[in-house]
mmCIF file of all heavy atoms in Angstrom:
data_model
loop_
_atom_site.group_PDB
_atom_site.id
_atom_site.type_symbol
_atom_site.label_atom_id
_atom_site.label_comp_id
_atom_site.label_asym_id
_atom_site.label_seq_id
_atom_site.Cartn_x
_atom_site.Cartn_y
_atom_site.Cartn_z
ATOM 1 N N LEU A 195 86.644 -39.123 44.669
ATOM 2 C CA LEU A 195 86.899 -38.003 43.764
ATOM 3 C C LEU A 195 85.592 -37.353 43.329
ATOM 4 O O LEU A 195 84.724 -38.004 42.757
ATOM 5 C CB LEU A 195 87.663 -38.520 42.542
ATOM 6 C CG LEU A 195 88.415 -37.534 41.666
ATOM 7 C CD1 LEU A 195 89.442 -36.750 42.460
ATOM 8 C CD2 LEU A 195 89.083 -38.266 40.514
ATOM 9 N N LYS A 196 85.445 -36.062 43.624
ATOM 10 C CA LYS A 196 84.212 -35.340 43.274
ATOM 11 C C LYS A 196 84.310 -34.685 41.896
ATOM 12 O O LYS A 196 83.322 -34.560 41.180
ATOM 13 C CB LYS A 196 83.923 -34.249 44.314
ATOM 14 C CG LYS A 196 83.945 -34.713 45.756
ATOM 15 C CD LYS A 196 82.812 -35.636 46.094
ATOM 16 C CE LYS A 196 82.799 -35.938 47.584
ATOM 17 N NZ LYS A 196 81.774 -36.929 47.948
ATOM 18 N N THR A 197 85.504 -34.190 41.551
ATOM 19 C CA THR A 197 85.738 -33.575 40.249
ATOM 20 C C THR A 197 86.928 -34.291 39.610
ATOM 21 O O THR A 197 87.701 -34.938 40.296
ATOM 22 C CB THR A 197 86.054 -32.074 40.387
ATOM 23 O OG1 THR A 197 87.129 -31.902 41.319
ATOM 24 C CG2 THR A 197 84.845 -31.292 40.868
ATOM 25 N N GLY A 198 87.067 -34.173 38.314
ATOM 26 C CA GLY A 198 88.156 -34.868 37.628
ATOM 27 C C GLY A 198 89.119 -33.903 36.972
ATOM 28 O O GLY A 198 88.967 -33.565 35.801
ATOM 29 N N ARG A 199 90.102 -33.451 37.712
ATOM 30 C CA ARG A 199 91.091 -32.493 37.194
ATOM 31 C C ARG A 199 92.440 -33.169 36.959
ATOM 32 O O ARG A 199 92.713 -34.242 37.494
ATOM 33 C CB ARG A 199 91.272 -31.318 38.174
ATOM 34 C CG ARG A 199 90.000 -30.646 38.615
ATOM 35 C CD ARG A 199 89.215 -30.077 37.466
ATOM 36 N NE ARG A 199 88.065 -29.312 37.937
ATOM 37 C CZ ARG A 199 87.035 -28.977 37.176
ATOM 38 N NH1 ARG A 199 86.989 -29.353 35.897
ATOM 39 N NH2 ARG A 199 86.027 -28.277 37.668
ATOM 40 N N HIS A 200 93.284 -32.499 36.214
ATOM 41 C CA HIS A 200 94.627 -33.003 35.912
ATOM 42 C C HIS A 200 95.420 -33.203 37.202
ATOM 43 O O HIS A 200 95.598 -32.272 37.980
ATOM 44 C CB HIS A 200 95.342 -31.992 34.999
ATOM 45 C CG HIS A 200 96.757 -32.339 34.672
ATOM 46 N ND1 HIS A 200 97.831 -31.728 35.277
ATOM 47 C CD2 HIS A 200 97.278 -33.242 33.818
ATOM 48 C CE1 HIS A 200 98.951 -32.215 34.792
ATOM 49 N NE2 HIS A 200 98.657 -33.139 33.912
ATOM 50 N N HIS A 201 95.871 -34.446 37.442
ATOM 51 C CA HIS A 201 96.676 -34.786 38.623
ATOM 52 C C HIS A 201 96.003 -34.362 39.928
ATOM 53 O O HIS A 201 96.675 -34.043 40.910
ATOM 54 C CB HIS A 201 98.062 -34.127 38.545
ATOM 55 C CG HIS A 201 98.937 -34.672 37.477
ATOM 56 N ND1 HIS A 201 100.222 -34.206 37.254
ATOM 57 C CD2 HIS A 201 98.736 -35.643 36.535
ATOM 58 C CE1 HIS A 201 100.772 -34.861 36.236
ATOM 59 N NE2 HIS A 201 99.886 -35.736 35.782
ATOM 60 N N GLN A 202 94.678 -34.377 39.968
ATOM 61 C CA GLN A 202 93.969 -33.785 41.105
ATOM 62 C C GLN A 202 94.334 -34.411 42.456
ATOM 63 O O GLN A 202 94.671 -33.689 43.410
ATOM 64 C CB GLN A 202 92.455 -33.870 40.910
ATOM 65 C CG GLN A 202 91.681 -33.212 42.050
ATOM 66 C CD GLN A 202 90.184 -33.293 41.886
ATOM 67 O OE1 GLN A 202 89.684 -33.451 40.775
ATOM 68 N NE2 GLN A 202 89.453 -33.192 42.983
ATOM 69 N N ILE A 203 94.253 -35.734 42.559
ATOM 70 C CA ILE A 203 94.536 -36.377 43.846
ATOM 71 C C ILE A 203 95.985 -36.136 44.246
ATOM 72 O O ILE A 203 96.281 -35.796 45.399
ATOM 73 C CB ILE A 203 94.235 -37.890 43.778
ATOM 74 C CG1 ILE A 203 92.747 -38.121 43.467
ATOM 75 C CG2 ILE A 203 94.614 -38.571 45.098
ATOM 76 C CD1 ILE A 203 92.398 -39.582 43.229
ATOM 77 N N ARG A 204 96.888 -36.295 43.304
ATOM 78 C CA ARG A 204 98.317 -36.110 43.568
ATOM 79 C C ARG A 204 98.589 -34.698 44.070
ATOM 80 O O ARG A 204 99.315 -34.485 45.050
ATOM 81 C CB ARG A 204 99.114 -36.381 42.293
ATOM 82 C CG ARG A 204 98.922 -37.777 41.750
ATOM 83 C CD ARG A 204 99.420 -37.944 40.324
ATOM 84 N NE ARG A 204 100.876 -37.790 40.235
ATOM 85 C CZ ARG A 204 101.545 -37.882 39.094
ATOM 86 N NH1 ARG A 204 100.901 -38.128 37.950
ATOM 87 N NH2 ARG A 204 102.866 -37.735 39.088
ATOM 88 N N CYS A 205 97.982 -33.723 43.405
ATOM 89 C CA CYS A 205 98.217 -32.318 43.721
ATOM 90 C C CYS A 205 97.582 -31.919 45.053
ATOM 91 O O CYS A 205 98.219 -31.277 45.893
ATOM 92 C CB CYS A 205 97.671 -31.463 42.581
ATOM 93 S SG CYS A 205 97.883 -29.691 42.815
ATOM 94 N N GLN A 206 96.339 -32.313 45.272
ATOM 95 C CA GLN A 206 95.643 -31.887 46.486
ATOM 96 C C GLN A 206 96.217 -32.550 47.738
ATOM 97 O O GLN A 206 96.308 -31.910 48.785
ATOM 98 C CB GLN A 206 94.142 -32.165 46.364
ATOM 99 C CG GLN A 206 93.428 -31.193 45.425
ATOM 100 C CD GLN A 206 91.923 -31.277 45.556
ATOM 101 O OE1 GLN A 206 91.285 -32.130 44.960
ATOM 102 N NE2 GLN A 206 91.342 -30.380 46.343
ATOM 103 N N LEU A 207 96.597 -33.820 47.645
ATOM 104 C CA LEU A 207 97.206 -34.460 48.813
ATOM 105 C C LEU A 207 98.570 -33.844 49.119
ATOM 106 O O LEU A 207 98.927 -33.645 50.285
ATOM 107 C CB LEU A 207 97.331 -35.969 48.595
ATOM 108 C CG LEU A 207 96.020 -36.770 48.607
ATOM 109 C CD1 LEU A 207 96.304 -38.256 48.420
ATOM 110 C CD2 LEU A 207 95.220 -36.540 49.881
ATOM 111 N N ALA A 208 99.323 -33.516 48.080
ATOM 112 C CA ALA A 208 100.623 -32.852 48.290
ATOM 113 C C ALA A 208 100.427 -31.491 48.943
ATOM 114 O O ALA A 208 101.224 -31.065 49.786
ATOM 115 C CB ALA A 208 101.359 -32.707 46.966
#
Side-chain angles (χ1 to χ4, degrees):
L195 198 58
K196 309 292 186 185
T197 53
R199 309 301 186 197
H200 177 257
H201 292 180
Q202 182 180 337
I203 299 173
R204 301 166 66 181
C205 180
Q206 286 193 277
L207 289 182

